[in-house]
Amino acid sequence: SRLHTSLLKIKSQLQIPDEAVPSRPGAVPVLSGPCAQPPFIPPQGTRDHHPAQMTLLGRLLGTVVSCFKRHGAAAIDTPVMELREMLMEKYGDNSKLIYELQDQGGELLALRYDLTVPFARYLAMNKITNIKRYHIAKVYRRDSPAMTRGRYREFYQCDFDIAGQFDPMIPDAECLKIVHEILSELQIGDFLIKVNDRRILNGMFAICGIPESKLVTMCSTLDKLDKMPWEEVRSEMVGEKGLSPEAVDRVGEYVQLHGGMDLIEQLLQDPKLSQNKMAKEGLEDMKLLFEYLTLFGITGKVSFDLSLARGLDYYTGVIYEAVLLQQQNNHGEESVGVGSVAGGGRYDGLVGMFDPKGRKVPCVGVSIGIERIFSILEHRMKASREKVRTTETQVMVATPQKHLLSARLKLISELWDAGIKAEMMYRKDPKLLKQLQYCEDTGIPLVAIIGEEELKDGVVKLRDVATREEVNIPREELAAEIRRRLEP
Amino acid sequence: SRLHTSLLKIKSQLQIPDEAVPSRPGAVPVLSGPCAQPPFIPPQGTRDHHPAQMTLLGRLLGTVVSCFKRHGAAAIDTPVMELREMLMEKYGDNSKLIYELQDQGGELLALRYDLTVPFARYLAMNKITNIKRYHIAKVYRRDSPAMTRGRYREFYQCDFDIAGQFDPMIPDAECLKIVHEILSELQIGDFLIKVNDRRILNGMFAICGIPESKLVTMCSTLDKLDKMPWEEVRSEMVGEKGLSPEAVDRVGEYVQLHGGMDLIEQLLQDPKLSQNKMAKEGLEDMKLLFEYLTLFGITGKVSFDLSLARGLDYYTGVIYEAVLLQQQNNHGEESVGVGSVAGGGRYDGLVGMFDPKGRKVPCVGVSIGIERIFSILEHRMKASREKVRTTETQVMVATPQKHLLSARLKLISELWDAGIKAEMMYRKDPKLLKQLQYCEDTGIPLVAIIGEEELKDGVVKLRDVATREEVNIPREELAAEIRRRLEP
């Protein structure tokens, strides 16, 4: 019957559907003529979220928001589109990935590429010099999508930033604490937070003989080290970027270094690096950062890593990136990074770019890569075959005989008004079995059955779906009884 | 001092700021040359949300989502952009208001205009024939903004829809119940839900002598009745639309009618209207709807109103719109509508437009006009000078002497790890008074003070900001004590 089919449909929606990611990423839908409508799908690199995915996403974002609030952040929001001119020249080479809106008369607009540049615009526009805020919203990049690995053209960013003039490294340390708290709480496996400082990088490049004009491009080339081996990065630097092989080889020695307080102390003694003013400043701040991280008890998962560069132009100080580590396998091989799940750093110059007088507001922040984490949790959930409830309905209002629609409507209305989450079938005379089956399928724990007898006696039969136990409850006590049974 | 200025800044953010809506809606920023950056603002018709606004918005959306969940809805999400071709020809004249993305190679895209068409696309694509879902997201319309009245180019829609083949008017009645629940709960003043049916409208037009080809345009002209008097609507119908004055005058008599069950019965007896098959069907369903609304106890705020038309093309059955009523003034004048805050209806043909085989999925839904409600609540909050907390911080970790940054970092880290919402100043040696002042300004209720003495004794001095009472608490019991004091 149609009803049965409907039930099967609902049932299937409770599992994370396999078609969650459209089967045709990459192709453009083919029109077979003006009459037959193509089976429209979302644009390339974007996707719908099904109810089970929304449940999972809700849990995930809940964890992130709780952490941001635990650290005293307030929420803000900015529009999805910005003036095109405002976004340009903030992202270096990546500007070509910005989605532009068509010129339909009026302003020239584009979709935001991240939440950081709009945040800086917001601070400058409102002359805010001191705020701790979080912002969770979607951003847009015309990148080549890799949807199975959680890389999309429309994706969530979860940002926490601290703006203001403060004593060094205290807010920076808090950002790392936040990454540590969120990744620990989500239980997505072992992770490592790599830390570096743009000042140390720039000093290192300088003493290796890289000309100042090449510093920015060096950072974005170095940033590829997590995707390709040093040999390839080296040849890009020598070949495309035209740097001397000797200078690049000197860089090559430094970028292999990673460690903790020991390495910081060692580099502070490095005869060449310690003579560079920028590098020295960066290293001293790095030492302070590690002192604070020691007090936070999180140095075990933090590595000072000279190969970390971060791609974006606007960073000016400490930078960091969290990667998930694959479990050590049986052969005892070392763990390998499987991708960045959080990143950020200090950007002290960005707000000044939007202020007519160039007034600077120092900022440091972190962005949680929710999409990759979501991919991991989604795969895990599919594998475990866990049945996700996508609704929170507490009770099904059911009738055992015909001609009782009025009774159901009246009772469910009383329950809604009492704040109880209740559903009923949208049928005049559904069979009791169908109504009970709906509860089993959708995970509704209780059924409130109202028949002719119950109506006469002023009671409702409350049935526990799991135990099948039934008890008559005076009608006026029903809402309280449901609450008593379900609310902890 | 800089710190004091910062505190004033934070203080001012707690009030709903006056600059919430940029002062320059309409103008395009003027570039004063390549060096001086313009003070960038959000695009016309869009705005940032400040922390206090986000707090208010959070409460508002919380009420709406609770209601949707109370009625058993699951959440879905769709991308902000859709294939341009998919959106076209779904909105009649309003299609010109769609934001198109620039052709940067690849697919031609546009921003969604509402959540209903993407929902229909989602159902057809996934072959879903039965779902109750809600969707809260921003939509985009290149309309002339009227920001003070809550009309924006980027704005939230909060949609609840029931898709599936069911017995007549049961889901339709639930949608009206939802509007009633939400508007009652938000306490934004008296309201009226106007109800009509496209079938009744079409039947009425037919018996008045309006040709069938003019039915759609008649609905969108009639829809203007809430903004202009009948005389103007009449002359548009006769003039622009070229209809006979006699036919229009016959329509004019019907559209003045509004009432309840009495009016339905009266029209069912109407010799001409009852002979029209469409109108009769609509009227019989309207009668059923009012029976269900009576069981829900909400007919007091529902009016069957023959002038209600709704602008959109896709409605096929019952339609409704909720308006807020101004309070009756001292002179006893009748209440006047101040604008629509919710609307919706039945659209049984839309999903079929996206299915290659044209398979229909009947749908009915409602959209809550959150932006207008937000405007009202925001004005009310400003008027009441209520101080809104924008953060949830439970405790400030403070030190009374210098050289205790380490102690603060260690203690706050313990509190965070115990799930306590805690803040500290990002200063090495802040004055105690500054730290206490920060609590007063931001509404933090407790201060955990750790000085040399407390460190020695293994205790923390817990201070109640309101009463100034201080008690020493063993350090290991601090988190539990904070929870005990603040959590109900």
Side-chain angles (χ1 to χ4, degrees):
Chain A
S1 78
R2 202 162 41 190
L3 183 61
H4 186 65
T5 322
S6 304
L7 285 172
L8 285 176
K9 273 274 150 56
I10 289 168
K11 203 170 176 181
S12 74
Q13 285 160 33
L14 291 175
Q15 312 286 346
I16 304 259
D18 287 325
E19 71 277 40
V21 173
S23 52
R24 176 231 52 107
V28 169
V30 180
L31 283 167
S32 53
C35 292
Q37 281 278 5
F40 282 118
I41 58 170
Q44 209 186 331
T46 72
R47 76 234 196 258
D48 298 319
H49 284 92
H50 297 267
Q53 291 172 310
M54 287 301 280
T55 303
L56 183 58
L57 186 63
R59 283 185 211 162
L60 187 48
L61 292 179
T63 302
V64 173
V65 170
S66 292
C67 178
F68 292 166
K69 286 186 175 173
R70 192 156 62 235
H71 288 261
I76 73 156
D77 193 26
T78 64
V80 82
M81 63 263 252
E82 294 277 356
L83 295 177
R84 206 181 281 180
E85 193 193 356
M86 193 281 283
L87 290 184
M88 290 305 158
E89 289 166 41
K90 306 297 181 302
Y91 302 104
D93 286 353
N94 292 328
S95 288
K96 63 177 185 295
L97 302 180
I98 292 175
Y99 276 99
E100 301 189 1
L101 271 80
Q102 201 174 82
D103 182 2
Q104 292 172 288
E107 304 153 318
L108 294 179
L109 305 178
L111 300 187
R112 62 184 164 211
Y113 180 86
D114 66 7
L115 303 177
T116 308
V117 170
F119 175 55
R121 191 265 304 147
Y122 172 83
L123 294 183
M125 169 183 149
N126 295 290
K127 299 190 174 58
I128 296 167
T129 55
N130 185 333
I131 192 174
K132 181 157 53 174
R133 83 87 179 82
Y134 71 92
H135 189 185
I136 293 180
K138 289 175 180 172
V139 301
Y140 299 86
R141 298 184 185 178
R142 289 173 41 80
D143 216 335
S144 22
M147 316 235 284
T148 47
R149 282 183 291 144
R151 197 162 82 220
Y152 294 90
R153 290 182 158 190
E154 173 186 60
F155 59 97
Y156 275 105
Q157 281 204 336
C158 304
D159 283 20
F160 171 97
D161 291 79
I162 300 170
Q165 186 74 53
F166 303 113
D167 283 326
M169 308 317 277
I170 310 179
D172 314 58
E174 184 169 2
C175 288
L176 294 176
K177 177 77 171 91
I178 282 175
V179 174
H180 193 277
E181 282 177 29
I182 290 174
L183 295 184
S184 304
E185 206 171 326
L186 290 174
Q187 300 184 297
I188 43 171
D190 204 12
F191 61 89
L192 183 71
I193 309 173
K194 298 179 186 173
V195 185
N196 199 359
D197 192 298
R198 275 283 166 93
R199 291 166 299 174
I200 299 175
L201 275 172
N202 287 343
M204 175 194 81
F205 289 141
I207 63 162
C208 291
I210 307 286
E212 218 180 306
S213 61
K214 303 274 185 179
L215 293 188
V216 172
T217 185
M218 277 299 280
C219 280
S220 64
T221 309
L222 196 56
D223 189 47
K224 299 178 184 169
L225 253 188
D226 61 338
K227 283 163 212 143
M228 47 170 87
W230 168 250
E231 275 315 306
E232 279 178 51
V233 172
R234 181 187 182 280
S235 63
E236 184 175 326
M237 286 175 174
V238 175
E240 284 173 47
K241 310 291 172 184
L243 297 163
S244 86
E246 296 74 27
V248 172
D249 286 339
R250 280 191 289 270
V251 169
E253 279 179 36
Y254 277 112
V255 299
Q256 284 173 41
L257 302 175
H258 52 91
M261 201 56 117
D262 287 359
L263 179 59
I264 301 169
E265 296 286 7
Q266 177 195 320
L267 291 177
L268 275 169
Q269 306 303 320
D270 184 294
K272 274 184 280 175
L273 206 56
S274 62
Q275 291 311 303
N276 181 285
K277 195 170 162 285
M278 290 276 278
K280 189 153 182 282
E281 241 182 69
L283 284 166
E284 274 162 1
D285 274 351
M286 189 61 73
K287 192 174 163 186
L288 205 53
L289 179 68
F290 267 76
E291 281 170 23
Y292 298 161
L293 298 182
T294 306
L295 291 164
F296 287 161
I298 61 170
T299 45
K301 296 210 183 289
V302 180
S303 166
F304 171 40
D305 187 324
L306 281 154
S307 74
L308 179 73
R310 303 278 298 156
L312 290 168
D313 279 16
Y314 49 63
Y315 292 117
T316 55
V318 65
I319 47 177
Y320 32 81
E321 197 165 288
V323 291
L324 292 185
L325 303 173
Q326 277 174 345
Q327 301 305 318
Q328 220 168 356
N329 64 25
N330 295 335
H331 310 290
E333 287 165 26
E334 214 185 326
S335 6
V336 188
V338 288
S340 156
V341 287
R346 177 162 284 285
Y347 50 100
D348 288 348
L350 193 60
V351 178
M353 290 174 75
F354 295 113
D355 187 279
K357 293 184 184 154
R359 279 168 296 217
K360 288 190 175 183
V361 179
C363 294
V364 64
V366 63
S367 188
I368 308 295
I370 211 75
E371 302 285 352
R372 287 193 183 181
I373 298 172
F374 179 79
S375 284
I376 294 165
L377 294 179
E378 196 185 8
H379 277 108
R380 186 185 294 176
M381 199 174 260
K382 272 189 193 175
S384 78
R385 299 183 172 275
E386 186 195 332
K387 203 171 165 179
V388 190
R389 271 202 83 182
T390 59
T391 57
E392 299 176 8
T393 309
Q394 298 169 308
V395 64
M396 177 82 179
V397 175
T399 37
Q401 299 107 7
K402 288 196 172 185
H403 311 301
L404 285 168
L405 174 60
S406 299
R408 260 190 298 147
L409 288 171
K410 210 160 170 356
L411 180 60
I412 201 169
S413 175
E414 286 170 23
L415 291 175
W416 285 330
D417 292 342
I420 299 294
K421 295 169 189 156
E423 281 187 80
M424 57 174 266
M425 304 213 91
Y426 300 122
R427 294 282 174 191
K428 273 198 305 211
D429 296 311
K431 292 222 164 61
L432 184 59
L433 201 63
K434 290 270 162 83
Q435 298 173 82
L436 298 179
Q437 188 60 43
Y438 182 86
C439 296
E440 303 257 5
D441 292 340
T442 62
I444 299 175
L446 297 172
V447 195
I449 302 171
I450 185 146
E452 278 155 22
E453 197 128 340
E454 288 80 12
L455 269 175
K456 207 181 60 202
D457 298 345
V459 297
V460 175
K461 201 187 287 304
L462 191 61
R463 178 186 169 110
D464 184 303
V465 175
T467 65
R468 301 184 183 190
E469 216 176 321
E470 294 182 345
V471 194
N472 279 346
I473 309 281
R475 186 166 175 148
E476 61 279 9
E477 291 167 23
L478 181 62
E481 175 64 16
I482 293 169
R483 208 167 268 126
R484 196 187 63 72
R485 292 215 198 174
L486 299 179
E487 283 163 22
Chain B
S1 78
R2 204 160 39 187
L3 183 62
H4 186 67
T5 321
S6 305
L7 285 171
L8 285 177
K9 274 275 149 55
I10 289 169
K11 204 170 175 180
S12 74
Q13 285 159 32
L14 290 175
Q15 312 285 347
I16 304 260
D18 287 324
E19 71 277 41
V21 172
S23 50
R24 176 230 53 103
V28 170
V30 180
L31 283 167
S32 51
C35 291
Q37 280 278 8
F40 282 118
I41 57 170
Q44 209 186 332
T46 72
R47 73 221 193 270
D48 298 319
H49 284 93
H50 296 267
Q53 292 172 310
M54 288 301 279
T55 303
L56 182 58
L57 186 63
R59 283 185 210 162
L60 187 49
L61 292 179
T63 301
V64 173
V65 170
S66 293
C67 178
F68 291 167
K69 285 186 174 172
R70 192 157 62 235
H71 288 262
I76 73 157
D77 193 27
T78 65
V80 81
M81 64 262 252
E82 293 278 356
L83 295 177
R84 206 180 282 180
E85 194 192 354
M86 193 281 284
L87 290 184
M88 291 305 158
E89 290 167 40
K90 306 297 181 301
Y91 302 104
D93 286 353
N94 292 328
S95 288
K96 63 177 186 293
L97 303 179
I98 292 175
Y99 276 99
E100 299 189 3
L101 271 80
Q102 202 173 83
D103 181 2
Q104 293 172 287
E107 304 153 318
L108 294 178
L109 305 178
L111 300 187
R112 61 183 165 212
Y113 179 86
D114 65 7
L115 302 177
T116 309
V117 170
F119 175 55
R121 191 265 303 146
Y122 171 83
L123 295 183
M125 170 184 149
N126 295 291
K127 299 190 176 56
I128 295 166
T129 56
N130 186 332
I131 192 173
K132 180 156 54 176
R133 83 88 179 82
Y134 72 91
H135 189 187
I136 292 180
K138 289 175 180 173
V139 301
Y140 299 86
R141 298 184 186 178
R142 290 173 39 79
D143 216 334
S144 21
M147 315 234 285
T148 46
R149 282 182 293 145
R151 197 163 81 220
Y152 294 90
R153 289 182 160 191
E154 173 185 61
F155 60 97
Y156 275 104
Q157 282 203 335
C158 303
D159 282 19
F160 171 97
D161 292 78
I162 301 170
Q165 186 74 53
F166 303 113
D167 283 326
M169 308 317 278
I170 310 179
D172 314 57
E174 184 168 0
C175 289
L176 294 176
K177 178 76 171 89
I178 283 176
V179 174
H180 193 277
E181 283 178 28
I182 290 174
L183 296 184
S184 304
E185 205 171 326
L186 290 175
Q187 299 184 299
I188 42 171
D190 204 12
F191 61 89
L192 183 70
I193 309 173
K194 298 179 186 174
V195 185
N196 200 359
D197 192 297
R198 276 284 167 92
R199 292 167 297 175
I200 299 175
L201 275 171
N202 287 342
M204 175 194 81
F205 289 141
I207 62 162
C208 291
I210 307 286
E212 217 181 306
S213 61
K214 303 275 185 178
L215 293 189
V216 172
T217 186
M218 277 299 280
C219 280
S220 64
T221 309
L222 196 56
D223 189 46
K224 298 178 185 170
L225 252 190
D226 60 337
K227 284 165 210 141
M228 48 171 88
W230 167 250
E231 276 314 307
E232 280 177 50
V233 172
R234 181 187 182 280
S235 62
E236 184 175 326
M237 286 175 174
V238 176
E240 284 173 48
K241 309 291 172 183
L243 296 164
S244 86
E246 295 74 28
V248 172
D249 286 337
R250 278 191 291 270
V251 169
E253 279 178 35
Y254 278 111
V255 299
Q256 285 172 39
L257 301 175
H258 53 92
M261 201 57 116
D262 285 0
L263 178 60
I264 301 169
E265 298 286 7
Q266 178 195 320
L267 292 176
L268 275 168
Q269 306 303 320
D270 183 294
K272 276 185 281 176
L273 207 55
S274 61
Q275 291 311 302
N276 181 286
K277 196 171 161 284
M278 291 275 279
K280 189 153 182 280
E281 242 183 69
L283 284 166
E284 272 161 2
D285 274 351
M286 189 61 72
K287 191 175 164 185
L288 205 52
L289 179 67
F290 267 76
E291 281 170 24
Y292 298 162
L293 299 183
T294 306
L295 292 164
F296 287 162
I298 62 170
T299 45
K301 297 212 181 289
V302 179
S303 167
F304 170 40
D305 188 325
L306 281 154
S307 73
L308 180 74
R310 304 279 298 156
L312 291 169
D313 279 17
Y314 47 64
Y315 292 117
T316 55
V318 64
I319 48 177
Y320 31 81
E321 198 166 287
V323 292
L324 292 185
L325 303 172
Q326 278 174 344
Q327 301 306 317
Q328 219 168 357
N329 65 24
N330 295 336
H331 310 292
E333 288 164 25
E334 214 184 324
S335 9
V336 188
V338 289
S340 155
V341 287
R346 177 163 284 284
Y347 50 101
D348 287 349
L350 194 59
V351 179
M353 291 175 74
F354 295 113
D355 187 277
K357 293 185 185 154
R359 279 168 297 215
K360 287 190 177 183
V361 178
C363 294
V364 64
V366 64
S367 188
I368 308 295
I370 210 75
E371 302 285 352
R372 288 193 182 180
I373 298 171
F374 179 80
S375 286
I376 293 165
L377 294 179
E378 196 184 8
H379 277 107
R380 187 186 294 176
M381 199 174 259
K382 273 189 192 174
S384 77
R385 299 183 170 276
E386 187 194 332
K387 203 170 165 180
V388 190
R389 272 202 81 184
T390 60
T391 58
E392 298 176 8
T393 309
Q394 298 169 308
V395 65
M396 176 81 181
V397 175
T399 36
Q401 300 107 7
K402 288 195 172 186
H403 312 301
L404 285 168
L405 174 60
S406 300
R408 259 189 299 148
L409 289 171
K410 212 160 169 356
L411 180 60
I412 201 169
S413 176
E414 287 170 22
L415 291 174
W416 285 331
D417 292 342
I420 298 294
K421 295 168 189 157
E423 282 188 78
M424 57 173 267
M425 303 213 93
Y426 300 122
R427 294 282 173 189
K428 273 198 306 212
D429 296 312
K431 293 222 161 62
L432 184 59
L433 201 62
K434 291 269 162 85
Q435 298 173 84
L436 298 179
Q437 188 59 43
Y438 182 85
C439 296
E440 303 256 5
D441 292 340
T442 63
I444 299 175
L446 296 173
V447 194
I449 302 171
I450 185 146
E452 279 155 21
E453 196 128 340
E454 287 81 11
L455 270 176
K456 208 181 60 203
D457 299 346
V459 297
V460 175
K461 200 187 288 303
L462 191 61
R463 178 186 169 109
D464 184 304
V465 175
T467 64
R468 301 181 181 191
E469 216 176 319
E470 295 183 344
V471 192
N472 280 347
I473 309 281
R475 186 166 175 147
E476 62 279 8
E477 291 167 23
L478 182 61
E481 175 64 17
I482 292 169
R483 209 168 268 125
R484 196 189 62 73
R485 290 213 197 176
L486 299 179
E487 283 164 21

